[in-house]
Every structure is written in C-alpha cells, then in structure tokens.
Amino acid sequence: MSASETCACADAARVGKEGNKPDTVAIIVAGGTGERFGDPRGKQFVDLCGLPLMCWPLLAFDHAPSIGHIVVVCAPDRVDTVNDEVLSRVTLLTPVTLAPSGDTRQQSVAHGLAAMPRGYDFVAVHDAARPLIETEVIEGVIACVREDPKLAGVICATRSVDTLKLVEDGVIIATPDRSFYWAAQTPQVFRTRALTSAYKSAAWEGYQGTDDASLVERHGGKVRCYDSPRDNIKVTVPEDLAIACTALEQRLLM
C-alpha cells in the first residue's frame, strides 16, 4: 500500500458464484426523488441506452461473483415501478429484496441493512444513480477489504485533479495540497459488522454523515480508497445523463 492509502487489488483472488460461496450483499440505494435532475419519475428511472438507468448497476452487481444477494432500497410508492419497469426488463441470477427508503440517504441505507439476509461478511453500498460502475471494479474493491483484516472498509474514489480552494464568504483563504484529497464514489464496501455497528451508533447519537465511510471512520474503523475510474459518475443533472450515455455507448460498441 502506498502512503496515500490507496488500494489496487486488480489481481486479487476472486470469490465465484460456483465453488466458493459469495460473501457480499449489495445495497442499491434508489430512493431519490430526482428533484435536482428535474424529472418527476426520478433519475434512476430515466432511459439510458434503452434501459432504465438503474438497470445498469443492477446488471454489474449481478455479474459480480462475490455478490450473493441484492437489496434495492426504493420509495414505498415506487415498488411497483421498480418491479414493472426495472426488474422485469433484466434477467438477474442474484436474489433481489426490496426495502423501503427513508427521509434521508442514511435512513435508506439503514433500512437496507435491516433487510439484508444474515450470513454475509461484507456489504457493498452503491448509488443507483451511478450507472457506469463495472463488475471488475466491484470485485476489486471487495477483494481489498477481504484481504486486509485491519480494514473496516474500502471505498471507490478518484484523486483530485483540480486545484482546490478553501473559501470563506467568497474569499479564498487557503489553497490546500490536492495530493491529499480524493473524491468519494460508490460502491463503498465494509465488513458487515463494522457498518451495522457504525449505523447503530450514529442513530443512537443523532449523527448525520455525508457518506457511509464517514460513519465508519467516526466509529473508529480504518477505511481506505480504491482508485476507481473517473467515469464512475453520479447522474445528478441532465448534463450528467448525456455524459453517461456517451460513455456507455462506447462500451457497448467495444
């Protein structure tokens, strides 16, 4: 491991759906309303290269040998939409459970944790609005956690390439060294016990984190970064959908 705490386990041993038992549950968070995106359906349901956007991460996780179960967290009034417009459009070999979303993303993940079956050592939390995640990346980040017992988790992230400015009231007060900064993505993979304990602690204390890793870090867990592709973008505004469409079309043509 380098001093920047990055993890790159591209050649790590994999767990197969045949032979070794899958040891990871994927929680796909799809409870957003798409308010910033500007579509009443929610961005996870908009069309991307012929399928609803959230179909693409579902397929990526379904193809990952380490994944033994998928929990999709969605709004209670969107359960029929998920079944009729998403799950019916793809053939998944991995069992899927639906769980109700909460008022916040943190509550939604907590509901996903409560709905996941027992017996899995790891849990991978992923935003449904990140359609470009690849199976190889999913397997790589899981392998990093699996192989280092000192780690509570590993998250996908990219190194900052822009110059960063610390600003107060519109005035620059510092220019930090960007080599220390990474942009967090998903999936974020954790040992199941570490994540559930961190969530219980946060709920008890009324703490709201910015992502799953922040809860685990606060609870004392060591979390590392996995250098993932920059195109693992989160679709937040319509311009992002155009970028995702172009990138996915290029992949499908390869």
Side-chain angles (χ1 to χ4, degrees):
M1 297 296 173
S2 67
S4 60
E5 295 290 86
T6 184
C7 184
C9 304
D11 297 323
R14 307 296 189 226
V15 171
K17 278 187 166 60
E18 294 182 2
N20 294 326
K21 182 180 177 181
D23 58 4
T24 307
V25 171
I27 296 178
I28 310 298
V29 186
T33 61
E35 187 174 327
R36 284 179 292 176
F37 188 80
D39 192 309
R41 294 174 296 171
K43 57 195 174 185
Q44 60 269 43
F45 300 109
V46 300
D47 181 82
L48 177 61
C49 295
L51 288 173
L53 184 147
M54 68 178 289
C55 284
W56 296 104
L58 282 171
L59 288 168
F61 278 90
D62 180 62
H63 292 157
S66 294
I67 303 297
H69 200 97
I70 297 173
V71 177
V72 176
V73 183
C74 64
D77 61 354
R78 294 297 182 91
V79 169
D80 289 341
T81 303
V82 171
N83 280 319
D84 297 341
E85 297 183 17
V86 177
L87 297 179
S88 67
R89 299 285 300 277
V90 291
T91 300
L92 303 179
L93 299 179
T94 309
V96 176
T97 296
L98 299 184
S101 59
D103 294 334
T104 65
R105 184 185 184 280
Q106 190 165 313
Q107 289 179 356
S108 294
V109 175
H111 291 173
L113 288 170
M116 65 179 281
R118 296 180 181 274
Y120 289 88
D121 295 331
F122 306 98
V123 56
V125 183
H126 186 67
D127 296 323
R130 290 187 187 271
L132 298 180
I133 187 63
E134 296 184 274
T135 298
E136 181 180 5
V137 175
I138 295 169
E139 283 296 307
V141 68
I142 293 172
C144 281
V145 187
R146 185 187 294 127
E147 294 184 347
D148 190 343
K150 295 180 181 179
L151 292 178
V154 175
I155 70 169
C156 286
T158 57
R159 299 172 187 269
S160 176
V161 295
D162 295 319
T163 296
L164 302 176
K165 299 292 183 180
L166 185 62
V167 178
E168 186 175 309
D169 295 327
V171 178
I172 297 171
I173 58 176
T175 302
D177 183 350
R178 69 184 180 193
S179 67
F180 288 100
Y181 291 86
W182 293 61
Q185 302 176 345
T186 65
Q188 299 192 354
V189 181
F190 305 92
R191 298 186 185 280
T192 301
R193 182 176 297 179
L195 188 61
T196 54
S197 295
Y199 261 84
K200 288 178 182 178
S201 175
W204 177 261
E205 299 172 14
Y207 175 78
Q208 288 290 320
T210 54
D211 67 352
D212 305 295
S214 65
L215 271 62
V216 175
E217 295 158 29
R218 181 175 179 272
H219 200 55
K222 184 177 181 180
V223 183
R224 280 190 167 156
C225 289
Y226 180 91
D227 199 354
S228 58
R230 302 193 66 80
D231 66 2
N232 182 26
I233 63 170
K234 185 176 183 180
V235 174
T236 304
V237 294
E239 300 94 299
D240 298 330
L241 184 64
I243 295 170
C245 183
T246 299
L248 187 55
E249 285 177 344
Q250 292 177 342
R251 278 190 201 170
L252 295 174
L253 290 173
M254 294 176 63

